[in-house]
Amino acid sequence: MVMDWQPLILTLELALITTVLLFLLGFPLAYWLVYSKSKLKPIIETLVSMPLVLPPTVLGFYLLIAFSPSNAFGNWLDEVLGLRLVFSFEGIVLASMLYSLPFMTHPLQSGLQSLSPSLKEASYVLGKSRWTTFAKILLPNIKPSILTGVVLTFAHTIGEFGVVLMIGGNIPGKTKVASIAIYDEVETLNYMAANSYSMVLFAVTFIILLAIYLFNGGYLTRFWK
């Protein structure tokens, strides 16, 4: 049997793009959640955490309704911006970002909260700008949290099914990721093909998670000494 690698390649592309975009979005959000005193903070924290407990089909359903060209917002996206998010790769990227948001934001938030306030205060006293303090002081001191957020987001996106199926459907080469390919093969009783996809995803996620535990536990550092 010759395995179709397209769903796996598409899955890795989705996971990579989602992880990069979420890092760019999640870091400022995590920083704001840690240091902001806004009254809206509990509401924002709740919204960020909801994908952890909300069924993916619920989120996917509301995104499907919102992005549909038959509704005002979806029609505006289509007519003004030329974006057709339903049944498109761009749509599943956005859906994946929303569904994986807590997996990036929470580790970064925990890392920033663990830092001593004196680090930031000392940097300001020495005349360093906010950007310099952020890039040269805060970032280097939360490397394990950054790695955790990046790896968990990447691994979680690889395993997404409900949200991707609701928004993207099952279009080969466009929205048919590996998790959907597995479902299709099981439905047609092609267990050999389903096993092939499943074993690849199992191996990739195992290696990714093992690497993060080894790194955060200091095993890799001790190994290379």
Side-chain angles (χ1 to χ4, degrees), residues 140-151:
N141 282 282
I142 59 168
K143 286 181 180 178
S145 297
I146 294 174
L147 179 62
T148 299
V150 167
V151 170

Side-chain angles (χ1 to χ4, degrees), residues 78-93:
D78 189 18
E79 296 293 334
V80 178
L81 301 181
L83 289 177
R84 182 66 68 91
L85 295 179
V86 177
F87 306 124
S88 70
F89 184 76
E90 293 79 6
I92 64 176
V93 168

Side-chain angles (χ1 to χ4, degrees), residues 123-161:
S123 179
Y124 291 155
V125 169
L126 292 173
K128 303 299 182 182
S129 65
R130 289 181 177 272
W131 170 250
T132 301
T133 300
F134 174 75
K136 299 295 181 65
I137 304 298
L138 300 183
L139 279 181
N141 282 282
I142 59 168
K143 286 181 180 178
S145 297
I146 294 174
L147 179 62
T148 299
V150 167
V151 170
L152 288 181
T153 300
F154 189 88
H156 183 256
T157 304
I158 286 178
E160 286 180 12
F161 175 75

Side-chain angles (χ1 to χ4, degrees), residues 57-181:
T57 49
V58 174
L59 178 61
F61 170 73
Y62 284 116
L63 289 177
L64 181 63
I65 296 299
F67 296 156
S68 174
S70 60
N71 288 318
F73 180 66
N75 184 67
W76 179 81
L77 289 174
D78 189 18
E79 296 293 334
V80 178
L81 301 181
L83 289 177
R84 182 66 68 91
L85 295 179
V86 177
F87 306 124
S88 70
F89 184 76
E90 293 79 6
I92 64 176
V93 168
L94 181 56
S96 296
M97 287 178 62
L98 292 174
Y99 191 55
S100 295
L101 182 60
F103 292 89
M104 177 65 77
T105 306
H106 285 176
L108 297 177
Q109 188 178 353
S110 297
L112 291 171
Q113 287 173 335
S114 68
L115 295 178
S116 172
S118 61
L119 284 175
K120 191 168 65 167
E121 294 169 1
S123 179
Y124 291 155
V125 169
L126 292 173
K128 303 299 182 182
S129 65
R130 289 181 177 272
W131 170 250
T132 301
T133 300
F134 174 75
K136 299 295 181 65
I137 304 298
L138 300 183
L139 279 181
N141 282 282
I142 59 168
K143 286 181 180 178
S145 297
I146 294 174
L147 179 62
T148 299
V150 167
V151 170
L152 288 181
T153 300
F154 189 88
H156 183 256
T157 304
I158 286 178
E160 286 180 12
F161 175 75
V163 169
V164 173
L165 182 62
M166 293 287 285
I167 295 297
N170 186 3
I171 305 175
K174 191 173 182 181
T175 63
K176 184 179 180 180
V177 295
S179 58
I180 296 176

Side-chain angles (χ1 to χ4, degrees), residues 1-79:
M1 183 196 72
V2 178
M3 186 169 69
D4 180 11
W5 289 92
Q6 184 61 46
L8 292 168
I9 294 173
L10 193 65
T11 299
L12 294 178
E13 289 179 358
L14 175 64
L16 179 60
I17 294 172
T18 299
T19 301
V20 172
L21 293 178
L22 265 187
F23 180 76
L24 298 176
L25 171 67
F27 217 115
L29 178 58
Y31 186 91
W32 184 86
L33 290 175
V34 171
Y35 297 110
S36 175
K37 300 185 184 301
S38 171
K39 294 181 180 180
L40 295 176
K41 181 177 174 179
I43 297 177
I44 302 300
E45 285 185 311
T46 300
L47 291 174
V48 169
S49 301
M50 281 189 69
L52 293 174
V53 296
L54 194 67
T57 49
V58 174
L59 178 61
F61 170 73
Y62 284 116
L63 289 177
L64 181 63
I65 296 299
F67 296 156
S68 174
S70 60
N71 288 318
F73 180 66
N75 184 67
W76 179 81
L77 289 174
D78 189 18
E79 296 293 334

